[in-house]
Amino acid sequence: MSTRVHEFDWPDRVVVGTIGLPGARTFYLQVRAGTQVVSIALEKQQSALLAEKIDEILDQLMTVEGNPFSVPAGTPLELVDNDQLEAVQEQFRTGAMSLGWDPATAQVIIEARPIADAEADDDEPLTGDGTGEHEMLLVRMPVGTARAFAKRTREIVGAGRPTCPLCGYPIDPDGHTCTLPES
C-alpha cells in the first residue's frame, strides 16, 4: 500500500482558519507552497492542542543555553498572518496527529493522517476512491513561523461563542439555557 504524502518544507503559508459561523465552524489547517495548497479539516480541540504543544516545544527550546535555534519569545511582526483561508478544498479530515522537532534544520514538524488511517484495518481501502492509498500531511516550519502559527491558532479558537459564566458551556446567538450545579 502506498502513502500519498502532501509534504511542505519551508512553506510560504501555514495557518489554521475556519469556515462558518461560531457554533457551526469547521476548522482547517491550510498549507501553501507556491501554487500547491492543501487544506485538512481539524476539530477545534485538535487545533487548540496543536497550538499549545507547539508553544511548549518552542518555550522549552528557548531555555537551551544560548538559544542556539534563535527561538523568538513572541510572534515576529513580519510573520503575523490575519488573512482569510484561501479557497478550501478539503483533502481529508484529520484523525491522528504528531508533532516533532528537527534540530538539524531548526524546524517544527507536524504530521497529520486522516481518520480512516487511524481506524481502518490494514486490508481495507483507506481512501474514498477505493485505491487503498494512505494519505498524510507533513509540514516542516521554522521557529518564527511556528510561533506565528500557534498565536493565530489560539486567536481563531478563542473567537468562537462566548462561554456562560454559570455553567461554562457556549452561549448560542439565539439564547442559552443552563442548569446550575446542585449544591
Side-chain angles (χ1 to χ4, degrees), residues 20 28 34-35 40 48 50 62 105 113 121 129 141 179:
Y28 290 97
T35 59
I40 61 171
L50 184 59
M62 282 180 57
T105 61
R113 295 181 183 272
D121 294 331
D129 60 8
M141 60 181 144
T179 305

Side-chain angles (χ1 to χ4, degrees), residues 122-167:
D122 290 336
D123 297 332
E124 293 180 17
L126 295 172
T127 57
D129 60 8
T131 62
E133 182 178 74
H134 292 270
E135 283 193 276
M136 178 179 139
L137 174 66
L138 176 63
V139 181
R140 297 169 163 273
M141 60 181 144
V143 293
T145 301
R147 189 65 88 182
F149 173 86
K151 180 181 186 292
R152 175 190 165 114
T153 301
R154 283 191 316 276
E155 290 170 354
I156 293 290
V157 167
R161 297 173 289 172
T163 56
C164 174
L166 299 174
C167 70

Side-chain angles (χ1 to χ4, degrees), residues 64-81:
V64 175
E65 188 174 330
N67 191 4
F69 303 111
S70 300
V71 177
T75 302
L77 289 177
E78 66 274 10
L79 297 177
V80 171
D81 182 348

